Amino acid sequence: KEIIIQQPHWRPECCIYKVPKRLREVKVEAYTPRLISIGPIHHDIDALKEMESLKQKYFQEFFQRTWKCQMEFKNIVQKNEDNIRHCYAQDISLPKKEAFVEMILLDSIFIIELFLRTATREECQKDDYILSKPWLDEGIKHDLILLENQLPFFILDELHHHIGRSTGIHESFLK
């Protein structure tokens, strides 16, 4: 009898995958965030929940500082929800629609705000919980580059571009 192995039916835009179990077992810490979860793959890890309040703080301060409407940004994420979901491999269980949009929005704004604070090197940096602690700053940067701890770049870029329309920030998110 012939065994047929089906290949996953990933869409062309799929770019964020779970690390194969056999590879993960070699060195779990190389693929698992230690401080902060970004996106749906590690979203439910209890050890990473402590940073959710810090993400919320950055989220609120972003909207206070930019004077932007949260609903505008939420609408951008909602409009792109299907495209965002297609960036993740199929075997990743994703939260329900509203929870997914809220998670992507919170994580996106956290990353953008962290990058803006880092780029501008504002005077308030000494009071910033992350940037004032080099070990925490480096730990979060490490977590942000992990393969499974990602958001699709296009949504970060689109949200960042939306900021520039009224704040004068015209450089791309990549820069």
Side-chain angles (χ1 to χ4, degrees), residues 90-132:
Q90 284 183 343
D91 61 341
I92 298 168
S93 62
L94 299 173
K96 293 180 181 172
K97 188 173 184 74
E98 188 64 27
F100 180 78
V101 168
E102 294 291 333
M103 175 195 56
I104 296 296
L105 180 61
L106 177 66
D107 290 353
S108 297
I109 295 301
F110 169 77
I111 291 171
I112 291 168
E113 178 66 8
L114 179 63
F115 281 31
L116 288 173
R117 289 178 185 204
T118 301
T120 57
R121 297 283 175 197
E122 293 176 7
E123 196 54 40
C124 67
Q125 203 170 8
K126 63 182 179 240
D127 298 327
D128 186 276
Y129 186 76
I130 294 173
L131 300 177
S132 65

Side-chain angles (χ1 to χ4, degrees), residues 148-165:
E148 296 178 343
N149 208 34
Q150 300 288 316
L151 294 176
F153 181 77
F154 83 88
I155 194 64
L156 293 169
D157 196 42
E158 187 166 338
L159 292 171
H160 181 264
H161 180 72
H162 189 69
I163 300 165
R165 293 185 186 142

Side-chain angles (χ1 to χ4, degrees), residues 9-11 15 24 38 41 43 54 56 75 83 92 99 104 117-118 122 131 135 137 141 144 148 155 160-161 163 169:
H9 296 291
W10 290 323
R11 293 183 178 233
C15 58
R24 174 179 290 287
I38 299 295
I41 298 174
H43 184 68
L54 185 60
Q56 282 290 340
N75 289 339
N83 291 335
I92 298 168
I104 296 296
R117 289 178 185 204
T118 301
E122 293 176 7
L131 300 177
W135 63 269
D137 185 28
K141 286 177 186 174
L144 291 178
E148 296 178 343
I155 194 64
H160 181 264
H161 180 72
I163 300 165
I169 299 170

